[in-house]
C-alpha cells in the first residue's frame, strides 16, 4: 500500500539542524499522522512521503519558513521580575494571554538580568533550517471518523 490522501502513516524520524546536530528523534512510539493536508506534519515532508511504501525513506531539507517559522521579534518580551508568581529560571515555561489578540501563548524564559526577565513565545526551533529524515513504518487507510475529525485516533494518535 502506498501513502495517499487519507492514509494513516507511522514514521520513525530524526530531525537535524543545519550543522547536522540531532535535535529530535523517534523515541518509544512512532510519529503517526493523517496524510492529505491535515497539518499533521510539515507540508514538504508530507509531499515527499506521498506515494511511498512501508520501509521507504525520505530526507527533506526545510527552510525556517517550511519548518517552525521565522523568529517573530514581537513574541520576545522583557518583563519585570516582580511580575512572576514564582522565581523564574531560564528554561521555565509560562502561559499568558496576548494582550492584542487574546490568544494563549506559551513563553519560555531565555534570560534573567538586572531585575528583568526575557521571555520568548517563538517555537524553540524557530528561525532554524531543519533536515527531516524519516522511514515509513506502517500505512493503513484512515477510518471515516478520523477523516471527519482530521486526525488519527487510537494508538499513537489523538483520543477523545
Amino acid at each position: 500500500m502506498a501513502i495517499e490522501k487519507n492514509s494513516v502513516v507511522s514514521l520513525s524520524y530524526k530531525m537535524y539542524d543545519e550543522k547536522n546536530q540531532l535535535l529530535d528523534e523517534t523515541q518509544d512510539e512512532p510519529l503517526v499522522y493523517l496524510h492529505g493536508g491535515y497539518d499533521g506534519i510539515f507540508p514538504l515532508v508530507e509531499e515527499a512521503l506521498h506515494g511511498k511504501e512501508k520501509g521507504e525513506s525520505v530526507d527533506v531539507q526545510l527552510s525556517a519558513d517550511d519548518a517552525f517559522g521565522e523568529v517573530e521579534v514581537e513574541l520576545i518580551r522583557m518583563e519585570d521580575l516582580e511580575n512572576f508568581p514564582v522565581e523564574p529560571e531560564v528554561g521555565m515555561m509560562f502561559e499568558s494571554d496576548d494582550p492584542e489578540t487574546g490568544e494563549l501563548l506559551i513563553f519560555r524564559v531565555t534570560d534573567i538580568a538586572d531585575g528583568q526577565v526575557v521571555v520568548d513565545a517563538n517555537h524553540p526551533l524557530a528561525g532554524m533550517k531543519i533536515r527531516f529524515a524519516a522511514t515509513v513504518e506502517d500505512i493503513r487507510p484512515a477510518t471515516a471518523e478520523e477523516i471527519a475529525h482530521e486526525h488519527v485516533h487510537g494508538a499513537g494518535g489523538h483520543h477523545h
Side-chain angles (χ1 to χ4, degrees), residues 9 67 74 81-82 131 135-136 139 144:
V9 181
E74 61 273 14
L81 185 60
E82 66 228 22
R131 182 168 71 88
T135 300
V136 179
I139 308 164

Side-chain angles (χ1 to χ4, degrees), residues 49-155:
L49 286 164
H50 194 81
K52 297 287 189 235
E53 295 185 1
K54 185 175 176 177
E56 290 191 283
S57 297
V58 297
D59 197 317
V60 183
Q61 300 287 339
L62 302 169
S63 70
D65 275 344
D66 294 325
F68 296 98
E70 295 292 346
V71 173
E72 296 180 44
V73 292
E74 61 273 14
L75 295 179
I76 302 170
R77 302 190 179 145
M78 297 272 288
E79 300 288 341
D80 290 328
L81 185 60
E82 66 228 22
N83 292 343
F84 289 82
V86 296
E87 186 71 27
E89 295 177 21
V90 171
M92 278 182 145
M93 310 280 264
F94 294 92
E95 289 183 358
S96 179
D97 291 330
D98 185 319
E100 293 172 20
T101 66
E103 179 182 354
L104 181 67
L105 298 173
I106 308 289
F107 286 93
R108 189 173 22 90
V109 175
T110 59
D111 195 19
I112 303 168
D114 303 323
Q116 294 288 300
V117 180
V118 179
V119 294
D120 186 346
N122 285 288
H123 188 282
L125 301 178
M128 296 178 70
K129 293 178 183 171
I130 302 291
R131 182 168 71 88
F132 192 94
T135 300
V136 179
E137 299 295 333
D138 201 17
I139 308 164
R140 69 168 172 80
T143 65
E145 183 182 37
E146 288 170 325
I147 294 166
H149 291 180
E150 300 187 353
H151 59 249
V152 177
H153 294 180

